[in-house]
Amino acid sequence: MKFFIDTANLDQIREAQDLGILDGVTTNPSLMAKEGIKGDENILNHYKTICKIVDGDVSAEVIATDYDGMIKEGEELAALHEQIVVKVPVTKNGIKAIKYLSGKDIRTNCTLIFSQGQALLAAKAGATYVSPFIGRLDDTSTDGVDLIYKIVDMFNNYGIETQVLAASIRHTMHIIQCADAGADVATCPLNAILGLLNHPLTDKGLEQFMADYNKLNS
Ligand code: E4P
């Protein structure tokens, strides 16, 4: 499973990159706003900075909701850097835009996926990734991870190459559950990734090793 970090915060992106396990970055307009990035030029420059920090795919979301606007923005974003993947919402215009962009060999990430049907349409249109939002489904008393299982199964049934990018991950256990479900990618907050390291027996064991070493060597 590939690990993406789900943030526009450069310090966190650098920290995940320094760990040596990072495969890419996802952003969205809310994450950009959280970092105070405003104005089209600043937003585009921020994407370019992220591309310099990481080696993998960087999702950059279109703001337009009309078809012409989406393809214009999508082409502009894709021209910024070869690592950019154009993020498009799963609307009627979005599906048409994904079809157009994939026909131009521009990679896309279809976002705001909450059902198998939406994922199937996005895949048919040629999306590189589909992003089911598992945390937001959990928030509505619906099992988000179950949707990952179902989309992975459905894509496997037909040999669909679109990758399942589990998004809206809220905690460390979500990452493990997505790996169990066969997600191709999990995009995660940094603290959820770092949580994978935690185990009290590791802390206790290391403490004991150090204490035994120090008994003889100090
Ligand atoms: C990533 O592609 C999504 O935009 C993001 O994971 C949404 O996460 P949230 O539901 O925590 O806002």
Side-chain angles (χ1 to χ4, degrees):
M1 187 172 74
K2 287 188 272 187
F3 275 69
F4 288 1
I5 189 166
D6 193 26
T7 185
N9 181 287
L10 298 181
D11 289 338
Q12 291 187 16
I13 293 169
R14 283 192 194 97
E15 189 175 338
Q17 176 67 20
D18 283 349
L19 257 183
I21 52 82
L22 193 65
D23 299 300
V25 178
T26 51
T27 63
N28 63 38
S30 304
L31 292 171
M32 295 295 269
K34 196 171 159 195
E35 299 308 316
I37 316 295
K38 61 179 178 183
D40 291 349
E41 203 179 322
N42 288 335
I43 290 172
L44 297 183
N45 283 335
H46 202 72
Y47 289 137
K48 285 199 248 182
T49 305
I50 294 173
C51 289
K52 280 190 199 137
I53 299 172
V54 302
D55 300 322
D57 291 351
V58 175
S59 283
E61 188 156 342
V62 298
I63 303 299
T65 53
D66 63 298
Y67 172 71
D68 289 335
M70 280 177 169
I71 61 172
K72 180 171 176 288
E73 274 182 39
E75 286 179 325
E76 282 167 3
L77 289 168
L80 275 183
H81 199 282
E82 62 188 12
Q83 285 167 248
I84 293 284
V85 175
V86 179
K87 206 169 176 192
V88 180
V90 63
T91 58
K92 199 194 269 187
N93 287 333
I95 292 297
K96 284 167 60 182
I98 288 168
K99 179 75 184 173
Y100 172 88
L101 294 168
S102 64
K104 299 269 173 193
D105 287 332
I106 292 174
R107 293 175 308 138
T108 55
N109 172 358
C110 188
T111 190
L112 289 167
I113 298 271
F114 293 95
S115 74
Q116 280 179 262
Q118 291 174 326
L120 189 57
L121 272 184
K124 287 284 284 182
T128 313
Y129 298 101
V130 289
S131 287
F133 278 32
I134 65 174
R136 293 193 195 185
L137 277 171
D138 286 357
D139 290 344
T140 63
S141 311
T142 306
D143 187 346
V145 173
D146 187 54
L147 180 62
I148 303 294
Y149 276 97
K150 286 185 170 143
I151 296 173
V152 167
D153 268 1
M154 180 174 71
F155 284 5
N156 284 342
N157 283 344
Y158 295 100
I160 290 171
E161 287 180 6
T162 299
Q163 296 180 55
V164 180
L165 193 170
S168 186
I169 283 180
R170 299 281 168 75
H171 50 74
T172 301
M173 197 56 203
H174 266 158
I175 303 177
I176 302 298
Q177 291 167 328
C178 287
D180 280 342
D184 297 287
V185 190
T187 188
C188 323
L190 180 62
N191 60 0
I193 298 174
L194 295 178
L196 292 166
L197 287 167
N198 294 342
H199 202 289
L201 290 178
T202 303
D203 300 339
K204 193 177 161 196
L206 189 58
E207 201 177 309
Q208 184 71 56
F209 289 157
M210 293 303 103
D212 289 342
Y213 173 86
N214 287 329
K215 261 189 242 163
L216 292 184
N217 295 284
S218 57

